[in-house]
């Protein structure tokens, strides 16, 4: 092929280039080792010296032209590619967002705490709180649980490094805190987290309690029975039977454990109540005079009753949940079942 033919071929191929691959092929065809232009240069050897100069210039001009074309076309193709990519990945930021956002639900334990609180508020109780890292003195000593007294073993304690402090094992120290800062009459509940070295399907090392305390000049065991019966029947939304069994707590005397007729089998006997027909749901009693005195209250003049309940147990019974861990794993599939709370 002579120069004119090569130029003609180039002119006819130029317009057909669509992709970087086409362009590379074009380069090979003309400027590659065996390309037409390279070939023309080789053939120069056979020409006469005058012709060689003249022809050499012309071939060179063609080569530069092709070079320039490849450069410009390459840039154009790159630009086009980028434009197409941007177009494909385009985000329309004017599109409206999701109008229905997934709404979380109240945690069943929060719901139960609120419900318990509401019932007691209706009976004239107010809400107190205390710290989870508590003074050993408030958690034990001032509740009539002296050091080395076996009653401390009833609650396997997590101690913290600082001497004299622990993770409270119950909400009862809020009784002490309240009595230290307030003159009776006192009528409070204290919901909150408590900690014990305990771990099985019905026990978690961290769980929730609600404490109750009433102190005034005339309160009686009968008053306590009434308050707790009203509470239990409101909470379980039925006329549950309630039973008081004599028991022992260091901070109350006399002490009682409170059972309700099993809400699962209505007292017939089932797995949950272990065939007894009864479920233990509360600890309660008349505040021990030692507790009142320790808090600087005249135990001759004032009397009180107190109670403590496990929120997790109440929630498990109300919603028929057989593993306490479900409350703390926060699996969305579990929590979703409580959207209406
Ligand atoms: N503090 C007790 C516990 O955690 C529960 C309890 C029992 C609290 C009797 C009381 C009470 O206030 O009077 O096991």
């Amino acid at each position: 092929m002579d120069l004119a033919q090569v130029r003609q071929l180039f002119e006819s191929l130029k317009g057909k280039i669509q992709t970087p691959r086409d362009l590379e092929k074009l380069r090979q065809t003309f400027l590659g080792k065996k390309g037409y232009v390279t070939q023309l240069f080789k053939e120069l050897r056979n020409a006469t010296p005058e012709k060689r100069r003249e022809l050499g210039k012309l071939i060179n001009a063609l080569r530069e032209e092709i070079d320039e074309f490849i450069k410009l076309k390459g840039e154009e193709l790159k630009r086009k590619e980028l434009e197409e990519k941007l177009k494909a990945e385009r985000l329309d930021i004017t599109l409206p967002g999701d109008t229905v956002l997934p709404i979380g639900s109240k945690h069943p334990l929060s719901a139960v705490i609120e419900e318990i609180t509401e019932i007691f508020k209706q009976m004239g109780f107010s809400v107190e709180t205390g710290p989870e890292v508590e003074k050993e003195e408030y958690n034990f000593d001032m509740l009539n649980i002296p050091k080395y007294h076996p009653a401390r073993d009833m609650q396997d304690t997590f101690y913290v490094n600082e001497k004299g402090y622990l993770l409270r094992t119950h909400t009862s120290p809020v009784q002490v805190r309240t009595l230290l800062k307030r003159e009776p009459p006192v009528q409070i509940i204290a919901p909150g987290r408590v900690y014990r070295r305990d771990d099985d399907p019905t026990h978690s090392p961290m769980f929730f309690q609600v404490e109750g305390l009433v102190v005034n000049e005339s309160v009686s065991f009968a008053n306590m029975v009434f308050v707790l019966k009203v509470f239990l029947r409101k909470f379980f939304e039925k006329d549950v039977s309630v039973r008081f069994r004599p028991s022992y707590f260091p901070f109350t005397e006399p002490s009682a454990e409170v059972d309700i007729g099993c809400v699962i089998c209505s007292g017939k006997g089932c797995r949950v109540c272990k065939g007894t027909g009864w479920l233990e749901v509360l600890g309660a009693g008349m505040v021990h005079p030692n507790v009142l005195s320790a808090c600087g209250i005249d135990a001759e003049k004032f009397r009180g009753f107190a109670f403590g309940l496990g929120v997790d147990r109440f929630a498990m019974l109300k919603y028929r949940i057989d593993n306490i861990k479900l409350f703390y794993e926060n699996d969305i599939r579990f929590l979703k079942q409580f959207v209406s709370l």
Side-chain angles (χ1 to χ4, degrees), residues 143 154-155 169-173 175 194 196 207 209-213 224 248-249 251-252 255-256 282-287 305-309:
L143 287 168
M154 286 165 74
Q155 304 176 355
T169 58
H170 51 183
T171 42
S172 303
Q175 290 190 35
V194 301
R196 287 184 202 177
F207 59 105
Q209 286 189 334
V210 174
E211 190 78 13
L213 174 70
M224 177 181 83
Y248 171 76
F249 297 104
F251 31 89
T252 45
S255 303
L282 274 159
M286 300 307 290
V287 179
F305 72 78
F307 56 88
L309 64 86

Side-chain angles (χ1 to χ4, degrees), residues 153-172:
D153 300 340
M154 286 165 74
Q155 304 176 355
D156 240 330
T157 310
F158 287 113
Y159 287 90
V160 296
N161 282 342
E162 194 166 344
K163 208 169 152 8
Y165 286 86
L166 42 69
L167 293 181
R168 66 179 177 189
T169 58
H170 51 183
T171 42
S172 303

Side-chain angles (χ1 to χ4, degrees), residues 165 302 320 329:
Y165 286 86
F302 291 103
R320 318 248 160 139
E329 284 165 354

